[in-house]
């Protein structure tokens, strides 16, 4: 695909001149502006997320002119450090994970950063926080607008929300100032805990004030999926059971648990990745075009997809769900530890580090089309990819060229790295024999636009500050996802154990069999432009 598209001069149909019944809502991408004055409170303010992701994202938003002058950050954690130490740590975070801040800019910015130490189970913490927020309103003109970011373990989310409510730190939905809360994943660990958490949050906040984050939705390529599908007419006729044979969604990681075993061992790949990121990707691929692009219309369509997926339960769990756990592999400097060798992982852990599912979306568009999902740690590379495999051409071309049956077409959405889209089709190899070969048309984000995509957290923080919930999960969406995942998690907890796979391979054999039984195989996640290879 050329970087400078030349469009044919196609006459547009005449405008009808009719007034639309409803004014279409602007998409979130169209609503970028500087937010109103506010204070961002980060619970878990000294943690990894705050240092690695939130501070760098805020710094970039500031550089892009997307933070108001009347903006403050208040960090909270149990660590007894001074405000000055906190500011230094945040500066260190920028140096490590973004860029060394310009001295003059940092001098101005650091005066807007505050720290309130204290545990969230101590009411005094909230009293101190309230004083700090009132001072920010007085001295920095933040007008009572507050965004609470709960970068906290799941067990303290509900008590923290209650603490905020009790301390009078939550404005009503219709008051002049606004309050919003961002809740990090994991949002519960099954359907019941997710419902309980929703109920606890909804005692204090209204649904429009709750922003359940899934950082995959902030990734540029996932947002582009909506544009790709709904701003182009050419895909829509192909986007259904009539032409699609099956869909594969792979999110592979080469890293292991990276010191997060304390959390990961209680979660596993199914809860950590499939319940959130992979199901979110699936909904964007499978959803119907929404009536308009406001948050609720889009989320309504996503929820309908989740509700159309039949549950995998009972005997079907063994048939349609596969779990694996990485085992030690390699030698010398290529040696990789197994999951059970990782620090803080119990010797008898049955936690899966790989999960694969075969789902169907039983609706008019997708009936009978399998959606294969897989994710795992310690796989050969880090890649997130959607492969849409089309049905084979209905009539052989053997009489035309000396070739086997053509490979079916494929559309590959590369979410990361090498963000882009490739369309694979058959071409005649030059020469008298006329063999066929798959070739690709590639759209490379970086080349086409000459710029790096913004970090997911930039987009998500900005949207939460602007009050746009499109890229956040709604209550029913999270519960619908848990409805699908819970029976599988329960069946796995009840017995059996994950199948071992050597670190640095594509997961357990069971995952290959899941597709092989139906005459299919996984595509090896590749780099942009590489012909789709099957395992
Ligand atoms: C997180 C998971 O949500 O996503 C991690 O908890 C995982 O286990 C991470 O490593 C992957 O995110 P990304 O953006 O690096 O693909």
């Amino acid at each position: 695909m050329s970087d400078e598209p030349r469009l044919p001069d196609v006459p547009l149909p005449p405008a009808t001149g009719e007034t639309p019944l409803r004014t279409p809502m602007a998409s979130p991408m169209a609503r970028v502006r500087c937010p109103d004055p506010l204070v961002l409170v980060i619970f878990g303010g000294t943690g990894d997320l705050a240092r690695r992701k939130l501070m760098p994202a805020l710094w970039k938003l500031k550089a892009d002119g997307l933070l108001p002058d009347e903006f403050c950050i208040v960090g909270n954690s149990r660590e007894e450090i001074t405000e000055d130490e906190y500011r230094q740590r945040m500066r260190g975070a920028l140096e490590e994970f973004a860029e060394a801040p310009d001295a003059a800019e940092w001098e101005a910015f650091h005066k807007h950063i505050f720290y309130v130490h204290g545990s969230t189970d101590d009411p005094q913490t909230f009293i101190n926080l309230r004083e700090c927020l009132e001072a920010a309103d007085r001295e920095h003109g933040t007008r009572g607008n507050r965004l609470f970011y709960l970068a906290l373990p799941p067990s303290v989310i509900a008590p923290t929300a209650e603490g905020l409510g009790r301390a009078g730190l939550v404005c009503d939905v219709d008051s002049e100032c606004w309050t919003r809360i961002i809740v990090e994943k994991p949002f519960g660990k099954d359907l019941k805990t997710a419902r309980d958490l929703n109920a606890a949050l909804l005692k204090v906040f209204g649904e429009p004030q709750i922003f359940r984050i899934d950082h995959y939705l902030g990734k540029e390529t996932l947002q582009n999926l909506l544009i790709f599908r709904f701003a182009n007419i050419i895909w829509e006729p192909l986007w259904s059971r009539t032409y699609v044979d099956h869909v594969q969604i792979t999110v592979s990681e080469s890293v292991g648990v990276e010191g997060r075993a304390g959390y990961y061992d209680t979660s596993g790949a199914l809860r950590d990745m499939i319940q959130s990121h992979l199901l979110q990707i699936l909904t964007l691929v499978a959803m119907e075009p929404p009536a308009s692009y406001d948050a609720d219309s889009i989320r309504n369509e996503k929820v309908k997809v989740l509700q159309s997926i039949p549950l995998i339960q009972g005997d079907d769990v063994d048939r349609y769900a596969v779990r694996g756990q990485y085992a030690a592999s390699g030698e010398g400097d290529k040696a990789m530890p197994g999951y059970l060798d990782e620090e803080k992982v119990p010797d008898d852990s049955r936690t899966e580090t790989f999960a694969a599912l075969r789902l169907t979306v039983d609706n008019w568009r997708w009936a009978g089309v399998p959606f294969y999902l897989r994710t795992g740690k310690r796989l050969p590379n880090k890649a997130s990819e959607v492969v849409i495999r089309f049905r084979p051409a209905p009539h052989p071309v053997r009489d035309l060229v000396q070739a086997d049956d053509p490979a079916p077409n494929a559309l590959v959405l590369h979410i990361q790295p090498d963000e882009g889209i490739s369309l694979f089709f058959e071409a005649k190899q030059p020469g008298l024999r006329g063999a066929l070969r798959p070739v690709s048309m590639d759209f490379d984000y970086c080349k086409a636009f000459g710029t790096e995509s913004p970090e997911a957290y930039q987009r998500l923080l900005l949207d939460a500050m602007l009050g746009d919930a499109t890229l956040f999960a709604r209550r029913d969406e999270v519960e619908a996802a848990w409805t699908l995942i819970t029976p599988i998690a329960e069946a796995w907890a009840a017995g059996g154990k994950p199948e071992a796979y050597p670190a640095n391979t594509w997961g357990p054999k069971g995952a290959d069999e899941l597709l092989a039984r139906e005459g299919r195989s996984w595509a090896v996640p590749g780099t942009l432009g590489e012909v789709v290879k099957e395992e």
Side-chain angles (χ1 to χ4, degrees):
M1 227 176 242
S2 138
D3 292 355
E4 288 184 21
R6 287 183 305 267
L7 293 177
D9 201 9
V10 181
L12 291 171
T16 60
E18 283 169 20
T19 316
L21 289 177
R22 281 201 247 167
T23 317
M25 304 270 299
S27 81
M29 285 150 253
R31 276 192 293 242
V32 167
R33 61 175 170 83
C34 190
D36 297 337
L38 80 145
V39 183
L40 170 68
V41 180
I42 308 176
F43 290 96
T46 54
D48 227 35
L49 186 78
R51 293 174 53 252
R52 278 175 191 271
K53 298 289 181 191
L54 304 185
M55 271 312 287
L58 290 167
W59 190 250
K60 288 199 186 113
L61 285 175
K62 184 184 143 12
D64 290 345
L66 290 170
L67 285 185
D69 292 339
E70 304 86 357
F71 175 74
C72 293
I73 299 171
V74 178
N76 160 264
S77 89
R78 280 190 296 200
E79 280 192 70
E80 288 197 36
I81 52 173
T82 64
E83 203 144 74
D84 222 39
E85 279 168 319
Y86 187 64
R87 290 173 173 172
Q88 281 318 311
R89 282 203 200 179
M90 293 304 108
R91 188 193 164 108
L94 292 180
E95 280 163 4
E96 198 175 345
F97 301 111
E99 56 190 24
D102 169 88
E105 280 175 28
W106 177 254
E107 176 57 26
F109 191 68
H110 89 287
K111 294 183 187 142
H112 295 244
I113 302 179
F114 304 95
Y115 184 71
V116 173
H117 113 264
S119 159
T120 49
D121 52 23
D122 179 357
Q124 187 60 40
T125 306
F126 294 97
I127 295 171
N128 297 345
L129 180 61
R130 194 175 58 211
E131 279 168 15
C132 179
L133 293 175
E134 285 166 358
D137 288 343
R138 275 194 313 276
E139 290 157 29
H140 294 275
T142 45
R143 297 199 211 153
N145 295 331
R146 280 133 201 194
L147 177 59
F148 297 112
Y149 199 119
L150 272 54
L152 294 171
S155 58
V156 288
I157 301 277
T160 307
E162 281 157 21
L164 289 169
R166 266 198 306 272
L169 286 169
V170 181
C171 295
D172 287 343
V173 176
D174 50 8
S175 61
E176 267 181 28
C177 56
W178 54 257
T179 311
R180 294 176 197 135
I181 184 169
I182 302 184
V183 182
E184 263 295 331
K185 70 174 269 283
F187 196 89
K189 65 180 180 59
D190 53 21
L191 180 58
K192 181 180 178 314
T193 49
R195 279 189 176 148
D196 290 349
L197 184 50
N198 273 327
L201 291 174
L202 285 161
K203 274 193 201 147
V204 185
F205 295 90
E207 177 62 30
Q209 297 174 302
I210 305 173
F211 289 67
R212 299 172 192 81
I213 209 163
D214 181 318
H215 78 277
Y216 263 60
L217 289 177
K219 291 188 192 270
E220 196 73 33
T221 4
L222 277 196
Q223 292 162 48
N224 192 41
L225 191 46
L226 291 178
I227 301 298
F228 178 74
R229 286 195 56 200
F230 303 133
N232 297 295
I233 202 167
I234 56 173
W235 310 116
E236 174 55 25
L238 305 176
W239 215 260
S240 74
R241 63 192 304 272
T242 315
Y243 288 101
V244 175
D245 176 74
H246 72 275
V247 176
Q248 297 183 15
I249 300 175
T250 295
V251 176
S252 65
E253 294 187 274
S254 52
V255 293
V257 281
E258 289 193 300
R260 291 168 72 226
Y263 150 72
Y264 194 84
D265 199 60
T266 62
S267 168
L270 184 69
R271 291 185 168 95
D272 183 47
M273 298 293 286
I274 296 203
Q275 186 275 336
S276 47
H277 309 325
L278 279 89
L279 284 181
Q280 284 292 345
I281 299 174
L282 185 153
T283 58
L284 293 173
V285 172
M287 69 188 264
E288 293 300 315
S292 70
Y293 291 99
D294 60 292
D296 274 330
S297 301
I298 292 179
R299 295 187 298 177
N300 288 345
E301 297 307 330
K302 290 168 67 192
V303 171
K304 282 189 216 160
V305 172
L306 295 171
Q307 289 169 341
S308 309
I309 300 176
L311 300 188
I312 299 181
Q313 51 191 348
D315 293 345
D316 280 349
V317 174
D318 282 344
R319 216 175 144 63
Y320 297 129
V322 175
R323 54 181 156 161
Q325 190 184 71
Y326 62 84
S329 78
E331 285 178 3
D333 55 3
K334 297 228 169 69
M336 289 186 180
Y339 179 67
L340 298 180
D341 307 322
E342 304 273 11
E343 213 179 309
K344 294 200 190 141
V345 173
D347 294 345
D348 58 351
S349 171
R350 293 192 298 127
T351 300
E352 78 286 353
T353 60
F354 176 100
L357 303 183
R358 178 203 187 270
L359 300 174
T360 51
V361 180
D362 279 5
N363 61 16
W364 189 275
R365 185 186 286 267
W366 294 114
V369 177
F371 283 70
Y372 301 104
L373 276 52
R374 70 172 166 173
T375 182
K377 296 209 183 272
R378 284 272 188 245
L379 302 186
N381 59 28
K382 179 173 173 71
S384 302
E385 210 168 82
V386 179
V387 178
I388 295 166
R389 268 277 181 210
F390 293 93
R391 291 185 185 281
H395 188 67
V397 282
R398 264 180 241 126
D399 295 342
L400 195 59
V401 283
Q402 291 171 1
D404 292 337
D405 288 344
N409 302 129
L411 183 70
V412 181
L413 312 169
H414 305 270
I415 297 164
Q416 65 182 16
D418 302 324
E419 300 158 327
I421 295 169
S422 307
L423 178 64
F424 292 88
F425 54 93
E426 293 287 277
K428 179 182 167 301
Q429 257 185 19
L432 300 178
R433 282 181 187 281
L436 294 182
R437 217 190 70 190
V439 292
S440 74
M441 276 198 312
D442 302 310
F443 155 66
D444 178 331
Y445 242 90
C446 233
K447 267 201 211 146
F449 296 109
T451 108
E452 296 274 306
S453 300
E455 274 284 318
Y457 279 91
Q458 265 169 269
R459 155 65 60 190
L460 296 173
L461 276 169
L462 179 64
D463 283 1
M465 292 185 215
L466 293 173
D468 184 340
T470 310
L471 301 176
F472 294 82
R474 206 171 54 188
R475 172 193 186 161
D476 50 350
E477 202 175 342
V478 168
E479 292 181 9
W482 277 119
T483 303
L484 294 173
I485 295 304
T486 304
I488 305 170
E490 284 175 356
W492 284 356
K497 59 179 192 162
E499 191 186 332
Y501 61 95
N504 202 25
T505 63
W506 282 107
K509 291 207 176 62
D512 297 336
E513 282 154 20
L514 186 69
L515 273 72
R517 277 204 305 265
E518 301 180 333
R520 302 186 174 104
S521 57
W522 293 103
V524 180
T527 49
L528 193 67
E530 233 176 51
V531 170
V532 190
K533 285 198 256 355
E534 297 194 339
E535 276 173 34

